């Protein structure tokens, strides 16, 4: 499966400039969801450059708040995310990326960060 751009550079910058970067380090929250199963895979942060790179390449890019830099998901692990849909919330301070996950999403080796041994599940 090949990534495809979701927007031209001009459109991507228009979207990026419209968002409300009020979270850690001037970011928006990015909730990542499997496009087929709808499972939540992970949560990350995006700054304007990560938004533009994601929209123009079709590959998920994030802003690492610990390393203070942009990173392409999978750049070291090979576990890429091909973005099929990009949505914003009503306040413009969070986005949802619907992705095709290549490999696992969690750095602990599980498909989802919400399925790791460190995850907590409470249900009725």
């Amino acid at each position: 499966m090949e990534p495809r751009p979701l927007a031209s550079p001009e459109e991507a910058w228009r979207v990026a400039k419209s968002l409300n970067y009020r979270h850690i380090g001037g970011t928006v929250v990015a909730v990542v969801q499997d496009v087929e199963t709808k499972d939540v895979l992970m949560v990350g942060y995006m700054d304007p450059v990560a938004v533009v790179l994601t929209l123009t390449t079709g590959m998920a890019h994030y802003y690492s708040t610990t390393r203070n830099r942009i990173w392409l998901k999978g750049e070291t692990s090979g576990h890429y995310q091909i973005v099929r849909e990009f949505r914003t919330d009503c306040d413009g301070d969070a986005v949802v990326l619907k992705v095709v996950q290549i490999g696992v999403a969690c750095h602990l080796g599980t498909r989802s960060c919400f399925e790791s041994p460190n995850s907590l599940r409470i249900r009725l």
Side-chain angles (χ1 to χ4, degrees):
M1 173 162 299
E2 292 296 315
R4 294 186 310 264
L6 284 83
S8 68
E10 298 79 19
E11 178 68 10
W13 276 110
R14 188 188 68 72
V15 170
K17 289 176 183 177
S18 75
L19 297 176
N20 180 6
Y21 299 94
R22 66 178 191 88
H23 298 289
I24 299 171
T27 61
V28 294
V29 173
V31 178
V32 184
Q33 187 177 33
D34 185 288
V35 70
E36 294 294 324
T37 67
K38 311 297 187 251
D39 292 340
V40 175
L41 301 175
M42 60 174 272
V43 175
Y45 296 95
M46 300 176 90
D47 71 353
V49 174
V51 170
V52 169
L53 287 169
T54 296
L55 292 174
T56 57
T57 66
M59 301 292 291
H61 289 74
Y62 301 98
Y63 182 79
S64 171
T65 58
T66 56
R67 292 176 272 175
N68 294 317
R69 71 171 184 88
I70 301 290
W71 58 283
L72 167 66
K73 176 68 173 168
E75 67 187 9
T76 56
S77 67
H79 299 165
Y80 296 99
Q81 293 172 340
I82 300 171
V83 181
R84 290 293 179 235
E85 187 176 338
F86 180 98
R87 299 177 73 166
T88 66
D89 76 339
C90 59
D91 297 324
D93 65 352
V95 300
V96 173
L97 303 181
K98 294 191 179 185
V99 305
V100 174
Q101 179 68 52
I102 308 300
V104 299
C106 184
H107 70 283
L108 296 177
T110 55
R111 182 175 177 287
S112 165
C113 293
F114 297 92
E115 296 171 0
S116 78
N118 297 342
S119 301
L120 175 65
R121 176 181 281 187
I122 300 172
R123 84 167 73 164
L124 295 175

